[in-house]
Amino acid sequence: MALTREQIASIATLARLELSPEEVPLYQDSLSRILEFVGALERADTANVTPMAHPLAGLTQRLRPDEVSEGDRHECYQRNAPLTAAALYLVPKVIE
Amino acid sequence: MSAWETVIGLEIHAQLATRSKIFSGSPTAYGAPPNTQADLVDLGYPGVLPVLNVEAVRMAVKLGLAIGARIAPLSVFARKNYFYPDLPKGYQISQYELPIVADGALEIVLEDGAVKRIGITRAHLEEDAGKSLHEGLPGMTGIDLNRAGTPLVEIVSEPDMRSAKEAVAYMKKMHTLVRYLEICDGNMQEGSFRCDANVSVRRAGTQKFGTRAEIKNLNSFRFIERAINFEVERQIELLESGRPVVQETRLYDPDKGETRSMRSKEEANDYRYFPDPDLLPLKVDAALIESVRATLPELPDQKAARLTAQYGLSAYDAGVLAASRELAAYYEEVVRAAPADPKLAANWVMGELAAALNKEGLEVSSGRMPAARLGGLLGRLQDGTISGKIAKEVFELMWAHGSSADEVIESKGLRQITDSAAIARAIEEVMAKNPAQLADYRAGKDKLFGFFVGQVMKATGGKANPAQLNELLRSRLRG
Amino acid sequence: MSALHVRTLTQLADGLRRKSFSSVELVSEMLARIEKSQPLLNAFISVTGAAALAAAREADRALAAGGGGALAGVPIAHKDIFCTAGVRTTCGSRMLDNFVSPYDATVVAKLGRAGAVVLGKTNMDEFAMGSSNENSFYGPVRNPWNPQLVPGGSSGGSAAAVAARLVAGATGTDTGGSIRQPAALCGITGMKPTYGRVSRYGMVAFASSLDQGGTLTASAADAALMLREMAGFDPRDSTSVDTPVPDYVAALEQPIAGLKVGLLAEFFDKGLDGDNERCVREALRVFESLGARVRQVSLPSLPLSVPVYYVVAPAECSSNLARYDGVRFGHRCEQPRDLNDMYRRSRGEGFGAEVKRRIMTGTYVLSAGYYDAYYLKAQRVRALINADFIRAFEEVDVLIGPTTPTPAFPLGAKTEDPITMYLNDIYTIGANLAGLPAISVPCGFAQGLPVGLQIVGPHFSEARVLAAAHAFQGATDWHSRIPVGFA
Ligand SMILES: [Mg+2]
Ligand SMILES: [Zn+2]
């Protein structure tokens, strides 16, 4: 299961990762090897086996009472933000 | 007439009226200063985890019961992965393969009065995104995440609508329903209730669906109708000129009154849905369903039917009144105050009152004209204290001064004249003043009867009892 | 009063309570050891000396007043994946180089309430992705038994710090072996509890359905004490299980005579180093001498656990790490041309090679057309492996086998091919896929390097697993060996 440069490029786009021209062949090689390695799964007989999404089989979602427990702490939270103004997080203009 | 048939399906997003967000303890109030209602969970901070709000679940179940849908005993939250600045985690927690509500329906009334069933494929719980602000930030977009994490129920219809009007009727009906259920405030300006419209056209008579375009974020009934009609024309033009319709997301521009392609959302939209490992399957058992069922109010259709049966209203009038839980309640309070003539009450509520409220942009719930007070006026009309014509005048004064019908009638001396002698005296005067017309009438010019009625009414300031006046006037004129 | 560091966490907690020495003395000694070791081991990303001494003084006051929690005054460290209010939490990544959490992880808060004194945040593979601790933005951690060798990963800093007796215990996280594998390679005891036993709130997510916080300590008794204070239901974590935490310490002495021990056939494969096998087989004889009944059991689907893991973990990580977009926190590139440029460069610069590799692998296996063949298929095989374990635990009380195929290996030895690196976790991943409690304890040496023995139990059988490990450590002294230069 060898991946093409184009496939690596489109995966990187989907994942929003900038790759240098040098990185592309490296990931092309290692991802291809990983996919070949996990390809071993094909051989397992999983006819009518239900996929297991988490280890807590049988447990179901707990529900929270509808209560407001959080107050305004935006100043504290925004100390980690690269760029803000007027309490807004700023990003390069989104064109629509 | 047209060679083309329109096919429309709607995805309605209704914000659920919970106090706190669907997965966090932040408040959901609208209009707070930017980012003051976004906590660590809403911001997608490293390490934080979602915990589901019971009220959001109950509200989704309530909707499901109201549209006769199946409530899934087990539903699953999934991640919809895409990058967008107003989507903090890089994924939206939604429901994909196993939604909480499936297979419901809503009935709408078409213009010709016919009833049409609109199928509802599914309704699922999900979180709302934040907002991007483009104004006043040169080269930048500002992100306000107060809305992020607000609970939404996305209601997906079957492609059962065949015109913009049907789509609007369905949207309005759903709008009424969610407000009846008190699961959504329905405020469309604030985006609490909005929809995406999937629109396609096909040759009349053919079965296969045409390629559809999805028009995003329509937040007014007017826009929905215009956007769909524009889109239908656009697609027909394309097809008739032999060009294909591309499946894409489009945005409606209210100013230009047109839809345009939204490429930004298009590129690489492979959402990679998978079950959210931070949340376990959602179990809705019979006990929960029954406890929600117990809170169901009388639904719009049930109420309309009862109003017709109980008060003998026309289906139309009952429909108009039942369209709003508040309006219907107001109407029934008026009837309790003036029980003699429910039809009359309906006419006044939908006529004079609605007009007056409209002029001031008010709702019945505003208390501008208490139901008991309007009932008082109708009571005076029914017991003959005032005539219909005077009643309108009294209503104006009540509205202007916030006074009761009786106060107005007394202070302005608008009580109807029912004393035959007094009416007769007025008739004599009028006859004396108008000998020529009297002669013509007696010579057979019956049309002049109306003239005399008018003159006497004028002389009595409109207070003469119309029935008595007619009777007395006829005999006197005969001579 | 010197050489306090050689004592176990349990002994230190007792000594502090009996006031044989003060927390300030103890913490000062440990801080000095950390400072001295740092150039060689690089076990820490942040050392919080001033705060630690203040906390130590506080603990001494509490103890003097006859108060203080079970860990009052005991020096520990947190893996830098646990959020700590006011102290930066980097996850070993450039992406979070200057990220300061506004809140404490539940684990951090609980250990704080128990009186533990935090000396710093330990080094780790970036976002816990790695088995050698070579994937840290802050440089590799080195193995106290031989600085040319890796300590294992991803909790390599915590393992090295405990092995070198720089702290009495440390927290770690285990997604595919990240507590047990470094514990084995560093000759200490590493405990991964049942999924849902320890809150994940405040533990930066790698693969949410596999991540579980645990302990790195010198002994099983220490693990029991530390875990008892760490574990418990947390309303902030939907996957946290609401069952009471037994007193693991009190349960330590339960005899293992009659304990049904399953020897994992699949673990004794061609990949298993000869010396490791010898140590593990000797350990089994120890268990037999203690009255345990050892029998072979087979988990036919277990050999597929690594392939399953390398689909499921990357898939979840590709989504979990999407939040690092340079908007609300974390690295943002200089002068972005536009939004996409900001996303792509911020993430391209902020993440290291292995993290990017896993994000891309995960993005691929979830993408349209591959979801069923990879992700769904893996979750089905995961169910088969889980079923194997359930079946096995109908026959035996615990499963025993090696923790790793080989002892510690030289830095750079396995960085070329990701698969050879991934295979370090071949024996540990199964417990994560099934959410089972598992511990690694020292069981001997191969050419002077520690070898780990793994004990796996059914869900929520921590007490039994810890007691078995404790019994083994009562009969052996491998766990009390301290690397030369740190004794
Ligand atoms: Mg949608
Ligand atoms: Zn939606």
Side-chain angles (χ1 to χ4, degrees):
Chain A
M1 176 68 219
L3 295 170
T4 64
R5 296 184 116 273
E6 294 64 37
Q7 280 174 299
I8 293 295
S10 70
I11 295 167
T13 299
L14 207 47
R16 300 296 188 277
L17 289 171
E18 190 69 38
L19 299 186
S20 68
E22 305 75 55
E23 285 177 293
V24 175
L26 298 179
Y27 286 116
Q28 205 182 330
D29 170 65
S30 58
L31 260 70
S32 299
R33 275 195 273 170
I34 291 166
L35 292 176
E36 187 191 344
F37 176 69
V38 303
L41 295 172
E42 281 173 28
R43 295 194 296 277
D45 174 11
T46 52
N48 50 60
V49 174
T50 334
M52 176 177 169
H54 63 79
L56 301 171
L59 288 190
T60 55
Q61 180 59 35
R62 195 170 358 98
L63 299 174
R64 194 189 94 238
D66 180 22
E67 286 157 9
V68 173
S69 56
E70 304 299 316
D72 169 24
R73 290 186 63 197
H74 76 279
E75 277 168 5
C76 164
Y77 298 159
Q78 292 189 350
R79 275 182 215 127
N80 282 308
L83 189 60
T84 62
L88 295 167
Y89 294 94
L90 296 192
V91 299
K93 189 149 211 79
V94 178
I95 353 98
E96 224 166 49
Chain B
M1 42 157 244
S2 158
W4 298 95
E5 180 180 46
T6 304
V7 176
I8 304 160
L10 294 187
E11 290 172 14
I12 296 174
H13 283 93
Q15 280 183 357
L16 296 173
T18 54
R19 275 187 228 95
S20 63
K21 293 188 177 174
I22 184 168
F23 298 119
S24 86
S26 302
T28 53
Y30 178 85
N35 293 308
T36 55
Q37 293 185 164
D39 76 349
L40 295 167
V41 173
D42 308 321
L43 296 176
Y45 248 70
V48 298
L49 296 166
V51 185
L52 184 57
N53 183 334
V54 65
E55 219 33 55
V57 174
R58 295 183 60 88
M59 288 177 176
V61 170
K62 202 172 184 184
L63 174 74
L65 293 173
I67 58 173
R70 274 190 296 108
I71 310 297
L74 221 53
S75 62
V76 170
F77 286 94
R79 294 182 179 182
K80 180 182 184 180
N81 297 282
Y82 65 94
F83 285 87
Y84 207 71
D86 65 15
L87 188 70
K89 300 183 295 299
Y91 58 85
Q92 176 196 32
I93 303 177
S94 182
Q95 295 188 304
Y96 188 52
E97 278 170 342
L98 294 170
I100 184 167
V101 169
D103 297 337
L106 208 58
E107 285 185 340
I108 60 170
V109 181
L110 307 181
E111 282 165 308
D112 63 5
V115 170
K116 179 171 181 178
R117 180 183 184 282
I118 305 299
I120 292 165
T121 320
R122 58 183 283 161
H124 64 255
L125 282 166
E126 61 184 21
E127 58 182 341
D128 207 342
K131 282 183 186 162
S132 303
L133 298 101
H134 309 285
E135 291 69 31
L137 303 158
M140 289 284 178
T141 292
I143 308 299
D144 172 9
L145 295 171
N146 283 348
R147 198 180 68 175
T150 300
L152 290 174
V153 61
E154 177 176 339
I155 309 160
V156 182
S157 85
E158 293 287 315
D160 284 351
M161 288 150 279
R162 293 293 173 266
S163 71
K165 286 223 174 331
E166 286 185 24
V168 171
Y170 165 77
M171 183 81 170
K172 284 189 167 156
K173 188 68 177 285
M174 188 60 76
H175 188 245
T176 298
L177 182 62
V178 295
R179 273 156 46 247
Y180 256 72
L181 299 173
E182 292 172 321
I183 61 173
C184 174
D185 67 18
N187 189 321
M188 298 178 80
Q189 292 70 35
E190 295 177 2
S192 307
F193 190 83
R194 53 194 202 256
C195 86
D196 307 337
N198 290 300
V199 181
S200 68
V201 299
R202 63 182 170 192
R203 289 251 170 231
T206 56
Q207 284 311 305
K208 196 170 158 299
F209 289 127
T211 310
R212 61 182 173 79
E214 181 177 22
I215 314 171
K216 283 256 170 241
N217 278 320
L218 296 162
N219 66 346
S220 101
F221 296 121
R222 206 160 7 90
F223 292 169
I224 292 163
E225 186 161 3
R226 289 183 186 166
I228 292 174
N229 284 330
F230 175 91
E231 184 57 24
V232 167
E233 287 316 308
R234 189 187 70 89
Q235 292 186 15
I236 292 175
E237 268 177 45
L238 281 175
L239 295 170
E240 285 184 340
S241 61
R243 281 167 299 161
V245 172
V246 266
Q247 176 155 355
E248 62 180 352
T249 307
R250 297 180 68 86
L251 201 63
Y252 178 67
D253 178 340
D255 311 325
K256 296 203 184 65
E258 61 184 33
T259 67
R260 57 182 156 75
S261 185
M262 231 172 120
R263 302 250 173 264
S264 59
K265 275 249 201 278
E266 284 310 296
E267 55 148 70
N269 65 347
D270 180 346
Y271 293 127
R272 291 158 285 141
Y273 281 98
F274 74 104
D276 191 330
D278 288 333
L279 293 157
L280 300 176
L282 170 59
K283 176 153 161 279
V284 177
D285 56 19
L288 191 149
I289 292 176
E290 289 321 308
S291 71
V292 171
R293 197 190 303 280
T295 68
L296 279 180
E298 180 182 38
L299 299 178
D301 292 353
Q302 302 167 335
K303 195 182 285 285
R306 181 175 59 80
L307 293 181
T308 325
Q310 192 172 338
Y311 306 116
L313 301 182
S314 71
Y316 177 81
D317 289 0
V320 173
L321 292 171
S324 153
R325 203 172 168 177
E326 295 72 25
L327 186 62
Y330 182 92
Y331 166 73
E332 294 205 82
E333 203 181 328
V334 173
V335 173
R336 271 192 296 280
D341 189 347
K343 283 217 187 75
L344 178 75
N347 295 336
W348 273 80
V349 170
M350 293 184 294
E352 258 62 28
L353 178 73
L357 287 167
N358 265 326
K359 238 191 258 105
E360 295 182 15
L362 295 172
E363 299 292 323
V364 274
S365 48
S366 64
R368 181 72 170 73
M369 174 63 72
R373 190 175 289 168
L374 179 58
L377 171 63
L378 299 188
R380 289 289 161 265
L381 185 48
Q382 285 158 14
D383 68 17
T385 309
I386 52 172
S387 70
K389 183 169 173 302
I390 295 293
K392 292 188 172 34
E393 191 180 331
V394 175
F395 179 84
E396 310 271 312
L397 293 160
M398 291 167 68
W399 187 267
H401 307 105
S403 39
S404 77
D406 290 344
E407 287 164 6
V408 173
I409 293 167
E410 291 320 315
S411 61
K412 298 274 184 242
L414 293 173
R415 187 173 290 280
Q416 183 161 239
I417 299 169
T418 49
D419 164 0
S420 313
I423 298 174
R425 234 177 285 114
I427 292 175
E428 294 304 334
E429 283 164 24
V430 170
M431 285 167 55
K433 280 211 202 75
N434 304 283
Q437 286 83 347
L438 183 60
D440 291 355
Y441 178 83
R442 287 187 170 155
K445 232 163 173 253
D446 303 0
K447 282 197 259 62
L448 283 165
F449 186 76
F451 163 78
F452 284 100
V453 174
Q455 292 302 308
V456 179
M457 272 299 182
K458 196 143 149 260
T460 59
K463 290 180 288 178
N465 175 301
Q468 285 173 294
L469 168 58
N470 277 313
E471 193 189 334
L472 289 165
L473 188 60
R474 265 217 177 65
S475 58
R476 281 290 195 297
L477 288 176
R478 257 189 250 105
Chain C
M1 175 60 57
S2 71
L4 289 172
H5 64 269
V6 297
R7 309 189 189 188
T8 68
L9 181 143
T10 308
Q11 292 164 341
L12 289 172
D14 295 346
L16 284 161
R17 190 158 298 291
R18 279 194 262 88
K19 317 210 181 42
S20 322
F21 47 87
S22 75
S23 178
V24 171
E25 288 173 78
L26 175 59
V27 167
S28 311
E29 180 187 339
M30 294 306 216
L31 285 172
R33 292 178 63 81
I34 291 172
E35 193 179 358
K36 189 154 153 297
S37 75
Q38 196 55 13
L40 179 68
L41 300 181
N42 193 31
F44 284 78
I45 290 173
S46 306
V47 178
T48 53
L53 286 167
R57 266 180 238 104
E58 185 47 48
D60 285 331
R61 250 182 257 109
L63 287 161
L71 298 175
V74 175
I76 64 161
H78 287 299
K79 183 179 184 179
D80 207 18
I81 198 171
F82 288 97
C83 287
T84 45
V87 176
R88 76 178 180 155
T89 299
T90 69
C91 246
S93 180
R94 178 185 180 193
M95 180 60 82
L96 293 178
D97 187 38
N98 47 30
F99 174 73
V100 178
S101 170
Y103 74 107
D104 275 332
T106 298
V107 160
V108 171
K110 274 176 163 284
L111 289 172
R113 259 179 262 121
V117 175
V118 180
L119 306 197
K121 308 286 298 285
T122 58
N123 202 344
M124 58 183 283
D125 280 303
E126 184 178 10
F127 285 99
M129 299 175 199
S131 307
S132 68
N133 218 126
E134 291 166 290
N135 301 334
S136 170
F137 175 63
Y138 303 93
V141 174
R142 290 166 182 274
N143 192 315
W145 291 92
N146 176 347
Q148 309 312 314
L149 309 182
V150 303
S154 65
S155 310
S158 288
V162 172
R165 303 303 195 260
L166 309 179
V167 286
T171 55
T173 59
D174 191 313
T175 304
S178 283
I179 286 175
R180 293 159 287 160
Q181 185 257 8
L185 270 46
C186 290
I188 61 167
T189 302
M191 175 73 190
K192 175 201 105 66
T194 306
Y195 182 86
R197 177 75 294 181
V198 167
S199 171
R200 292 189 297 117
Y201 186 80
M203 196 174 99
V204 178
F206 159 18
S208 310
S209 78
L210 302 162
D211 296 342
Q212 181 62 195
T215 62
L216 293 107
T217 56
S219 71
D222 292 356
L225 176 53
M226 197 169 162
L227 183 61
R228 186 187 70 190
E229 302 306 313
M230 254 171 84
F233 172 66
D234 181 2
R236 289 180 178 277
D237 176 359
S238 296
T239 63
S240 152
V241 178
D242 193 357
T243 55
V245 180
D247 183 342
Y248 302 126
V249 177
L252 281 173
E253 302 304 333
Q254 58 183 274
I256 65 164
L259 186 77
K260 290 194 242 99
V261 172
L263 183 61
L264 267 169
E266 283 71 19
F267 278 9
F268 294 83
D269 56 10
K270 55 186 179 337
L272 180 59
D273 169 277
D275 289 318
N276 280 46
E277 173 160 9
R278 176 179 48 76
C279 294
V280 172
R281 295 214 181 268
E282 279 164 17
L284 283 160
R285 278 190 283 285
V286 173
F287 274 98
E288 281 168 331
S289 70
L290 292 167
R293 289 191 269 109
V294 179
R295 75 159 80 156
Q296 270 243 349
V297 294
S298 172
L299 280 70
S301 300
L302 198 55
L304 284 173
S305 57
V306 184
V308 168
Y309 180 86
Y310 280 96
V311 169
V312 173
E316 294 182 5
C317 109
S318 70
S319 176
N320 282 335
L321 272 61
R323 71 192 58 206
Y324 305 104
D325 58 4
V327 178
R328 296 160 318 286
F329 44 74
H331 176 73
R332 178 187 289 202
C333 67
E334 294 297 325
Q335 308 297 328
R337 286 192 313 281
D338 55 33
L339 182 67
N340 262 314
D341 181 52
M342 181 195 77
Y343 281 148
R344 296 182 64 119
R345 281 200 289 133
S346 299
R347 292 167 57 78
E349 295 164 5
F351 293 135
E354 180 60 23
V355 170
K356 282 188 259 189
R357 179 168 19 247
R358 302 221 191 167
I359 289 174
M360 286 195 283
T361 306
T363 302
Y364 182 80
V365 297
L366 286 175
S367 62
Y370 302 99
Y371 180 84
D372 292 31
Y374 290 103
Y375 181 79
L376 261 196
K377 181 72 178 184
Q379 295 290 47
R380 288 199 165 89
V381 178
R382 182 180 185 177
L384 293 179
I385 293 169
N386 186 55
D388 277 3
F389 275 110
I390 291 169
R391 224 177 291 109
F393 286 121
E394 284 163 3
E395 299 172 25
V396 300
D397 302 318
V398 294
L399 291 164
I400 287 189
T403 306
T404 63
T406 67
F409 47 90
L411 276 86
K414 301 187 179 185
T415 41
E416 274 314 300
D417 174 18
I419 308 296
T420 54
M421 184 65 85
Y422 294 173
L423 288 170
N424 283 292
D425 297 330
I426 188 162
Y427 306 140
T428 45
I429 282 173
N432 299 88
L433 295 177
L436 303 168
I439 195 168
S440 177
V441 294
C443 68
F445 285 79
Q447 296 109 34
L449 296 175
V451 173
L453 174 79
Q454 184 176 204
I455 306 171
V456 184
H459 288 124
F460 298 100
S461 66
E462 283 79 6
R464 184 194 302 168
V465 169
L466 287 161
H470 180 65
F472 177 77
Q473 293 183 336
T476 58
D477 73 343
W478 306 116
H479 62 287
S480 48
R481 308 286 183 90
I482 300 175
V484 263
F486 296 96

